[in-house]
Amino acid sequence: MKSKTIVATFVGMNGSCGYQHGKEYSLTIKHDKDENIEIHLSGSSRENFCDYESVISFLNNWKDIRAVN
């Protein structure tokens, strides 16, 4: 599974996957060969984890996405 660190603002429903609407997060995004997307909060001991079925569903919940590495 490939991964990339990004910074993005959560625009999904407040509290979904433990994220707060309008707050910016540093995330690790992982993409598998079946195009499933996993999102993990970077640098946290918390197990904030979201699983998206497509890039479109991810983009519906996040904005201002910037690659860090």
Side-chain angles (χ1 to χ4, degrees):
M1 186 175 283
K2 296 179 182 180
S3 68
K4 183 127 183 120
T5 301
I6 62 170
V7 175
T9 302
F10 185 67
V11 295
M13 190 167 70
N14 199 39
S16 178
C17 293
Y19 298 115
Q20 298 300 308
H21 181 87
K23 187 172 177 183
E24 185 175 82
Y25 293 92
S26 177
L27 306 165
T28 300
I29 185 168
K30 296 179 180 181
H31 186 268
D32 68 21
K33 66 180 180 180
D34 295 324
E35 298 189 24
N36 294 314
I37 299 169
E38 294 179 2
I39 304 296
H40 299 268
L41 185 60
S42 296
S44 174
S45 60
R46 295 185 311 169
E47 290 296 323
N48 285 41
F49 168 79
C50 284
D51 197 12
Y52 293 95
E53 294 180 4
S54 70
V55 172
I56 299 301
S57 63
F58 170 76
L59 293 174
N60 286 335
N61 288 283
W62 296 89
K63 70 175 188 174
D64 302 329
I65 302 163
R66 303 178 308 282
V68 176
N69 70 3

